[in-house]
Amino acid sequence: MPDKFNMSSPPFDRLSDSQQTELRSALDVAYYRDKDTILKAGSHADHLHIIIKGSVEERDSEQKEVYAHYTYDDMFDVRAILSETVKHDYVALEDTLVYLLPKDVFLSLYHSNGQFAAYFDTSLATRQQLIEEAQKQQNLGEFILTKVDEDIYHPPLILPADMPITTVTETLLSQGVDAALIELTSDDPRVTKNATPYGIVTRTNMLHARGARQARQRHRDWQDCHLSCASSGEA
């Protein structure tokens, strides 16, 4: 069966004739039944697996997340051969037949043929990027779907429209909230048929209002002082 190995598809078409002969002579064939674990996370990879028939799933060891599916002509696990350790579980999803390329032969070809190596380096970089992007999307999805705890809900604080600014500010502080609804009077021009009879005021609004009020008061005090000093001078 190794004689039927397809050398015309990337990256094997980048090998020289002698390198293709070396690869073909080193190939072996293995058979796995449905649900067999082909590679276990934490183990060492002794071969590059190239699928002849069947399909394989790459998943985490707790079987909570699926990273990839492999089928005819797909290869796995190059990363483990280059980094020494298998990161995820590889499980047959059906009866599966694979070529086995010994690790030492693969590494010999990898280090002696730059174009062959470049194919795997690019694929690994792209693959890692896709995994990271998928992880981000999953985290975002989990956040969006997270149910909000009902304990964070509080009844709205509703205050009358004629409440003094100082009292509003003190009420917001005492209640530990940053905003309140203001119940508008029926003759308020902002109350329309299709609008709710409420306005909203925030702690920031109150701070700005108090600041402006204090500034006006200081200006009046300055004016009073100026007029008083002028009157004293005339006298």
Side-chain angles (χ1 to χ4, degrees), residues 60-98:
D60 68 3
S61 56
E62 296 180 358
Q63 301 186 15
K64 292 182 178 179
E65 186 169 356
V66 175
Y67 295 99
H69 288 98
Y70 303 89
T71 186
Y72 173 71
D73 262 2
D74 288 338
M75 297 172 281
F76 64 92
D77 178 16
V78 177
R79 179 179 52 200
I81 292 178
L82 296 175
S83 64
E84 300 295 333
T85 306
V86 178
K87 190 173 182 179
H88 304 128
D89 288 350
Y90 291 79
V91 179
L93 296 179
E94 56 184 304
D95 290 355
T96 300
L97 199 63
V98 300

Side-chain angles (χ1 to χ4, degrees), residues 3-17:
D3 292 337
K4 297 181 181 179
F5 186 83
N6 183 13
M7 290 290 184
S8 63
S9 62
F12 306 106
D13 59 343
R14 306 179 184 191
L15 298 174
S16 65
D17 290 342

Side-chain angles (χ1 to χ4, degrees), residues 31-37 55 59 91-96:
Y31 169 74
Y32 298 95
R33 293 185 180 277
D34 180 25
K35 296 184 176 57
D36 278 355
T37 298
S55 58
R59 61 175 72 148
V91 179
L93 296 179
E94 56 184 304
D95 290 355
T96 300

Side-chain angles (χ1 to χ4, degrees), residues 40-60:
K40 186 72 175 174
S43 64
H44 295 285
D46 297 322
H47 299 87
L48 175 67
H49 295 71
I50 306 161
I51 298 180
I52 303 171
K53 177 184 177 182
S55 58
V56 174
E57 181 176 85
E58 179 183 358
R59 61 175 72 148
D60 68 3

Side-chain angles (χ1 to χ4, degrees), residues 12 70 105 128 158 185 199 208 220 228 233 235:
F12 306 106
Y70 303 89
V105 176
Q128 184 61 34
I158 302 176
T185 58
H208 289 167
R220 284 194 295 269
S228 176

